[in-house]
């Protein structure tokens, strides 16, 4: 009974190890940035707190969520950045 439990745990461990090794072999280190095959937008921001700090962001997630009466966009930003604040 204990032997079959250990065998099952070991089999799950080996499965996870195989999956991890497969995923890691798919990752490649490159010397040039990869091409992005999605619409890409730029967003410039001005820090409202001091009015002088600016930021430039590259957005790979931006989609319109309404068009009337005003076009509103949903965008993806990292928390803790000037653009997010």
């Amino acid at each position: 009974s204990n032997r079959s439990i250990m065998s099952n745990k070991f089999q799950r461990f080996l499965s996870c190890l195989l999956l991890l090794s497969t995923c890691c072999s798919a990752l490649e280190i490159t010397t040039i940035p990869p091409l992005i095959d999605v619409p890409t937008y730029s967003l410039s921001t001005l820090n409202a707190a001091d009015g002088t700090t600016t930021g430039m962001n590259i957005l790979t997630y931006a989609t319109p969520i309404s068009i009337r009466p005003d076009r509103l966009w949903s965008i993806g930003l990292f928390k803790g950045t000037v653009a997010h604040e």
Side-chain angles (χ1 to χ4, degrees):
S1 175
N2 284 341
R3 186 172 218 147
S4 67
I5 292 172
M6 290 301 286
S7 177
N8 288 339
K9 286 184 179 181
F10 186 68
Q11 286 176 349
R12 280 187 281 169
F13 171 75
L14 286 179
S15 296
C16 290
L17 189 60
L18 179 63
L19 179 64
L20 181 62
S21 68
T22 303
C23 291
C24 289
S25 67
L27 301 176
E28 294 182 26
I29 297 174
T30 63
T31 57
I32 58 172
L35 296 176
I36 299 175
D37 192 22
V38 295
T40 305
Y41 305 91
S42 60
L43 172 70
S44 63
T45 58
L46 179 65
N47 187 353
D50 64 14
T52 60
T53 308
T54 61
M56 191 67 175
N57 307 277
I58 297 174
L59 299 174
T60 55
Y61 178 79
T63 187
I65 56 174
S66 72
I67 56 172
R68 289 194 178 108
D70 297 317
R71 179 171 279 198
L72 297 177
W73 289 78
S74 174
I75 60 176
L77 297 172
F78 284 105
K79 290 183 179 179
T81 62
V82 173
H84 183 263
E85 295 172 4

